[in-house]
């Protein structure tokens, strides 16, 4: 019922989003399907690298957060770092290729919550600390068996650790209504494509 795994940005060649009327080949889903086609190696050695850094001084305040909360408790923390890259090339020219992409996202943030003020007998908006640590890797090997037959193997890994809201049933929960979630996802794919006829 949710995302199985995240993929590195530099590992995706194309993607498709189907929000309804998708076919039975993708299984059952209540909302949408996202298909991702990963990149493959070529005859030339190619690579990429990137760094994205967003400092807390450059952030804007959340639109739903009261300015009264900011005056009372300060600005909620936020910073985000993303680093990643990819590399690929040939094992055997025109016959076998390899490709690897990886990315790590690290984010410290705040989650909007509510707290009881017993003295004033009311519920007040505030924030509690949250975080995200997400490592993604995808690797692929392609073999051109003949002019009409291609064989591909892909291995992907995603390790995700975060502290966030425990439920999406309500827009804002209490500070105790949060959970730390840890997900390790391994995905292995083998694909044989055979062109029977050009038509």
């Amino acid at each position: 019922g949710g995302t199985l795994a995240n993929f590195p940005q530099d590992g995706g060649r194309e993607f498709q989003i189907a929000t309804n009327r998708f076919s039975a080949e993708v299984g059952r889903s209540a909302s949408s399907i996202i298909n991702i086609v990963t990149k493959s190696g070529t005859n030339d050695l190619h690579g990429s690298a990137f760094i994205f850094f967003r400092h807390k001084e450059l952030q804007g305040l959340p639109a739903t957060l009261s300015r009264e909360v900011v005056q009372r408790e300060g600005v909620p923390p936020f910073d985000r770092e993303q680093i990643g890259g990819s590399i690929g090339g040939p094992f055997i020219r025109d016959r076998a290729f390899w490709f690897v992409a990886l990315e790590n996202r690290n984010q410290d943030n705040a989650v909007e919550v509510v707290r009881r003020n017993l003295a004033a007998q009311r519920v007040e908006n505030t924030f509690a600390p949250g975080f995200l640590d997400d490592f993604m890797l995808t690797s692929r090997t392609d073999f051109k068996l003949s002019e009409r037959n291609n064989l591909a193997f892909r291995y992907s890994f995603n390790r995700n650790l975060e502290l966030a809201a425990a439920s999406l049933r309500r827009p804002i929960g209490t500070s105790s209504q949060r959970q730390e979630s840890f997900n390790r996802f391994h995905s292995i794919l083998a694909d044989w494509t055979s062109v029977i006829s050009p038509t």
Side-chain angles (χ1 to χ4, degrees):
T3 305
L4 291 178
N6 294 314
F7 286 84
Q9 291 182 31
D10 278 7
R13 188 177 76 200
E14 60 186 72
F15 66 93
Q16 170 196 45
I17 301 174
T19 56
N20 58 23
R21 296 184 181 257
F22 32 81
S23 62
E25 70 179 318
V26 295
R28 61 186 177 89
S29 178
S31 57
S32 62
I33 299 293
I34 301 173
N35 286 323
I36 299 173
V37 177
T38 52
K39 291 179 182 177
S40 58
T42 63
N43 276 330
D44 299 316
L45 184 66
H46 283 288
S48 65
F50 68 88
I51 296 173
F52 172 79
F53 176 68
R54 182 175 162 190
H55 192 267
K56 62 182 179 181
E57 298 299 329
L58 302 176
Q59 74 162 332
L61 291 174
T64 57
L65 188 64
S66 164
R67 299 311 181 245
E68 178 186 319
V69 174
V70 174
Q71 289 174 353
R72 185 179 68 233
E73 301 185 30
V75 177
F78 185 90
D79 65 79
R80 181 180 178 105
E81 298 87 33
Q82 283 178 256
I83 184 168
S86 65
I87 190 165
F91 279 125
I92 303 169
R93 194 166 184 79
D94 295 323
R95 302 289 289 177
F97 313 95
W98 61 274
F99 178 82
V100 177
L102 55 89
E103 179 177 341
N104 191 72
R105 293 185 295 170
N106 186 294
Q107 177 175 297
D108 294 311
N109 60 299
V111 179
E112 194 171 350
V113 296
V114 294
R115 137 181 100 204
R116 287 189 180 120
N117 183 334
L118 298 175
Q121 295 185 343
R122 65 179 182 181
V123 175
E124 299 174 337
N125 281 13
T126 184
F127 53 86
F131 63 85
L132 167 70
D133 188 13
D134 195 17
F135 176 76
M136 300 156 278
L137 171 121
T138 189
S139 60
R140 179 171 165 159
T141 307
D142 291 85
F143 300 94
K144 189 170 184 180
L145 304 176
S146 68
E147 285 301 313
R148 295 189 175 184
N149 287 281
N150 292 301
L151 187 62
F153 297 98
R154 189 201 73 208
Y155 169 73
S156 295
F157 173 73
N158 180 208
R159 186 200 69 234
N160 180 286
L161 177 64
E162 69 177 323
L163 178 64
S167 171
L168 299 176
R169 287 176 294 192
R170 288 181 234 140
I172 300 176
T174 65
S175 57
S176 63
Q177 191 259 329
R178 297 179 311 130
Q179 71 179 10
E180 185 176 306
S181 62
F182 180 61
N183 180 42
R184 254 194 210 136
F185 188 81
H186 299 270
S187 171
I188 299 171
L189 174 76
D191 178 63
W192 177 21
T193 304
S194 183
V195 178
I196 298 169
S197 161
T199 57

